[in-house]
Amino acid sequence: MPRILVVDDERQIHASLRLRIGSDYDLAFCFSAREALDRIERERFDLCIADIHMPEMDGLTFVEEAQKTDPELGFIFLSAFDTDENLRRAIPLQVFDFIGKPLPDRDGFEDRIPGWIEQTRNRRHQRALAQHSKEMVQDLQSAQLEREVELVASESARDALLQTAGLLTTIHAHLLSSSTLLNQRAKSDPSLGHLLRSLEEARKTADAAILVTESFFDSAYGNRDTSPAVVNPGLRHAINIATRMSHAEEMHKTVDVTPASDEVIVREISGIDFLLMMVPAIGLALYTTAPETTVRVTTEHVARLENASRDSRYRQHLWINRRNALTSHAGVTITVTCGAAPLNRAVAEAWLKGASTPLPAITARGLVLGMQKAKGLLGIAVESSGEVFQLVLVLPT
């Protein structure tokens, strides 16, 4: 049954509406605009019938506030008289209609209610379609990012195989030389020593070939699901992908990285997961910063993850995933900084939830999912925390 919210400070209006339409609709009654705003925040209605002249807050102001909470809800105004000022204020609110008091006959009121309800429902349907389309776009953007990451893996595999092929060619040359010597001077020639040396070179080269192939399959890109997230090579590849996807080179934007002092491996996530985290972080900085500027990426060891969130440099940041983070665990801090204004807090929260895309080419989904999987912390500089754009990823190692 359609639900209608009635907002009027006159009891006789409530009684009249209950008598005339109460059997056909689920009615909710409020005597003040404040009470009605609270109901709209908690409940969903198909139509709202509101008086213009109410104490404390008039109907026009009420509709302005209510539309911030439920922009699709349709409104009908009740009024004993209309002024030019009321009509002028009502135009941008796009209310469905003005109904005079006392209520008109059935043709002027009851018979029109289904059409008004249908307008609200059409608005909700259109918004749902728009949201679905937006989610599809974000899925496509995420798929594009994953394709870029897989491309890095493929290129790394190709380079490793090319190196292996070159080493195997050298092995073949050494073995051919050894075979020739062996055929010519098998038992009596003292050049056997050279033959042995050639064979030794062949063995060393074979060992090198095995090392190259094994190092690839043990790298962050050899196995999508189980290979480790090594920070330094992961950052290098993430910078390349983010630079390409944000077209940073065309605007002379660069990234300067200070790598970790030793080999650092992030717990709980794979090398691909690490890339899917870092590309949005670096990409958002590249998108935000001005042309001909540099984004700086620095790494720093921390004894406990919680130390970073307590650091005076980051104390005012918006911190994500605190509840699930391994806060007492040792880790690494990866800080992405550029000379741009910090994000508005509402914009930052919306981007992380996928409801807003300040970075059109890349969504935050990989960053959020990776942070949750790694059980790390994400800090974002917001307007209250300074004058620089900054993301701080604190990951357990």
Side-chain angles (χ1 to χ4, degrees), residues 34-84:
R34 297 290 182 191
E35 180 187 359
L37 288 174
D38 183 63
R39 291 290 293 269
I40 290 173
E41 286 184 358
R42 295 183 286 108
E43 303 174 47
R44 177 65 63 90
F45 296 96
D46 298 293
L47 184 66
C48 179
I49 301 174
D51 185 17
I52 288 184
H53 303 284
M54 293 185 292
E56 297 184 11
M57 180 187 298
D58 64 40
L60 292 160
T61 304
F62 158 68
V63 172
E64 289 178 350
E65 293 300 315
Q67 286 179 337
K68 296 176 184 178
T69 301
D70 188 352
E72 287 78 45
L73 179 60
F75 293 88
I76 302 299
F77 274 140
L78 295 179
S79 178
F81 60 92
D82 298 326
T83 64
D84 290 341

Side-chain angles (χ1 to χ4, degrees), residues 60 64 82-94 98:
L60 292 160
E64 289 178 350
D82 298 326
T83 64
D84 290 341
E85 174 64 16
N86 285 343
L87 292 174
R88 185 188 64 78
R89 290 178 60 194
I91 289 173
L93 300 179
Q94 297 183 347
F98 280 79

